[in-house]
Amino acid sequence: MDERTELLPGTLDMLVLKAISLGPLHGYGVLLRLQQISADALHIPQGSLYPALYRLEHQGWIAAEWGESENNRRAKYYQLTAAGRRRLAAEMAQWSRLATVVAGILAAAPEEA
């Protein structure tokens, strides 16, 4: 049985921002960091990650510059901008509120007949 968890719609951007907030990363490094943090529970296809990185860069939440990867290849490294830090904080607060509400609903006791 596969123990990996599918991402809920709308969470990928927040997770990418969080991964990059921990330090500059190239695209594949973002995938590796998220796998590491999630103890390999999340599966994020590269086909979803790279459009997200483009979208976040276009929105001004991350900035990119070219550098050299660990295996001496040219790679685009991403880092959070000030706007990205604000966006991440807002997303995390919203997610926390939603998780609290959902947990409360799931913990509700059934009515007795």
Side-chain angles (χ1 to χ4, degrees):
M1 183 174 178
D2 190 1
E3 294 295 323
R4 288 189 173 180
T5 303
E6 293 295 319
L7 285 179
L8 294 174
T11 59
L12 179 59
D13 288 0
M14 177 183 61
L15 295 177
V16 170
L17 289 173
K18 179 60 182 178
I20 294 171
S21 77
L22 301 173
L25 291 168
H26 54 76
Y28 188 66
V30 172
L31 283 178
L32 294 177
R33 180 159 294 159
L34 289 172
Q35 285 177 341
Q36 176 190 31
I37 293 169
S38 74
D40 208 26
L42 288 179
H43 172 66
I44 301 169
Q46 288 186 24
S48 297
L49 175 68
Y50 289 99
L53 288 168
Y54 176 81
R55 185 173 55 252
L56 294 170
E57 185 178 9
H58 183 73
Q59 291 170 325
W61 296 338
I62 60 175
E65 76 178 38
W66 288 97
E68 199 169 286
S69 70
E70 304 79 33
N71 55 358
N72 297 322
R73 292 190 151 172
R74 222 181 118 163
K76 207 173 189 183
Y77 280 81
Y78 300 93
Q79 61 186 26
L80 230 50
T81 63
R85 280 189 289 282
R86 289 189 300 274
R87 180 63 183 191
L88 176 59
E91 292 273 339
M92 288 173 56
Q94 182 178 353
W95 182 257
S96 181
R97 284 190 301 274
L98 176 62
T100 300
V101 169
V102 170
I105 292 168
L106 294 176
E111 289 184 21
E112 292 188 31

